[in-house]
Amino acid sequence: AQAQEGPLTLGAGFHYSSGDYGTSSTTDIASLAATAKYDAGPWTYRATVPYIKIDGDNAVIPGVGRVRGGSGNRIVLGATYAAYSDARLGVDLTGKVKLATADEDKGLGTGEHDFIFLVDLYQTFDRITGFGGIGYHILGDAPGLPLDNVWSVNLGFSYKLDERDSAGLSLDGRQRVVPGASPQRELTGFFVRQLDRLWKAQLYALIGLANGSPDWGFGLSAARPF
């Protein structure tokens, strides 16, 4: 008999990006993350525990400014409420907190918690699903560098190629968080494959469209329910 799918989904992912962020040298950022998701009716709870390494002569916190390189982690917790959902249309409300577990002395964070509130909408038309959202970010201040609270937006679509595969594009942007810094804008292409009845994998690549984003990056993740 086939195993029953449970409400818990566990996974892992790798991300790598590189860019000069408007400086004279390149900063490379790599992360390896463990992820967990738990579905409970209209609520979905998520946790991400990444290990992050930043290398570069003028390493940066993207969209903030120059810092020293280093390694560590910054745990992200989130909860999503499906405010509306039918066969084609859905509206999700999400709250996230980035815990100040990363070492600000190594430039991996600000030493303060960040809070993010998101509203996301998706609409399906046959094989195409369009999606978009808006977010508000309450950012903890970096040492000696007060940060503004900012808005973000995203817009994109996915196309179901067949029963196993889908692909799509998304455009993400966020306001600058300090005067004189650059906003973030990134274009991401992604491919998703259902490996078997349980395992799903995603591959993506991105290009930066502003100095607050990396010049390029890629990532791979996989997850399965239990």
Side-chain angles (χ1 to χ4, degrees):
Q2 291 182 321
Q4 295 294 316
E5 294 185 24
L8 176 66
T9 299
L10 300 178
F14 173 77
H15 171 85
Y16 181 87
S17 64
S18 180
D20 59 23
Y21 299 93
T23 71
S24 60
S25 63
T26 298
T27 295
D28 299 320
I29 301 175
S31 67
L32 185 64
T35 62
K37 182 181 75 168
Y38 187 84
D39 294 315
W43 288 94
T44 299
Y45 304 96
R46 292 181 173 86
T48 301
V49 183
Y51 178 81
I52 304 169
K53 184 174 177 58
I54 302 178
D55 289 312
D57 292 337
N58 289 309
V60 298
I61 300 175
V64 176
R66 303 182 186 185
V67 298
R68 296 191 299 276
S71 59
N73 60 51
R74 194 169 193 199
I75 297 171
V76 181
L77 304 177
T80 297
Y81 178 71
Y84 180 83
S85 180
D86 61 24
R88 293 185 176 272
L89 177 66
V91 179
D92 290 341
L93 307 177
T94 298
K96 295 183 181 180
V97 57
K98 292 184 178 180
L99 300 177
T101 54
D103 190 343
E104 68 271 25
D105 292 333
K106 294 181 179 179
L108 299 168
T110 63
E112 301 292 336
H113 304 313
D114 295 343
F115 299 92
I116 306 169
F117 302 95
L118 306 165
V119 179
D120 292 295
L121 180 146
Y122 59 88
Q123 174 76 56
T124 299
F125 308 91
D126 193 21
R127 292 192 173 199
I128 297 176
T129 298
F131 55 86
I134 187 169
Y136 187 68
H137 303 245
I138 301 174
L139 304 177
D141 293 337
L145 185 65
L147 304 180
D148 295 331
N149 298 331
V150 296
W151 292 93
S152 66
V153 295
N154 71 86
L155 185 66
F157 73 93
S158 66
Y159 180 78
K160 190 172 181 61
L161 300 169
D162 53 38
E163 291 303 312
R164 295 179 61 190
D165 302 330
S166 61
L169 287 172
S170 66
L171 180 64
D172 299 85
R174 195 184 75 175
Q175 292 177 302
R176 68 188 68 198
V177 299
V178 292
S182 176
Q184 292 179 276
R185 288 192 296 272
E186 299 167 10
L187 180 65
T188 302
F190 58 88
F191 174 78
V192 181
R193 164 160 286 193
Q194 189 73 43
L195 300 174
D196 57 23
R197 194 182 70 83
L198 295 177
W199 281 99
K200 179 182 289 187
Q202 176 172 292
L203 175 68
Y204 65 87
L206 66 88
I207 57 172
L209 305 177
N211 284 337
S213 294
D215 296 334
W216 59 272
F218 67 91
L220 174 67
S221 63
R224 62 152 291 176
F226 290 87

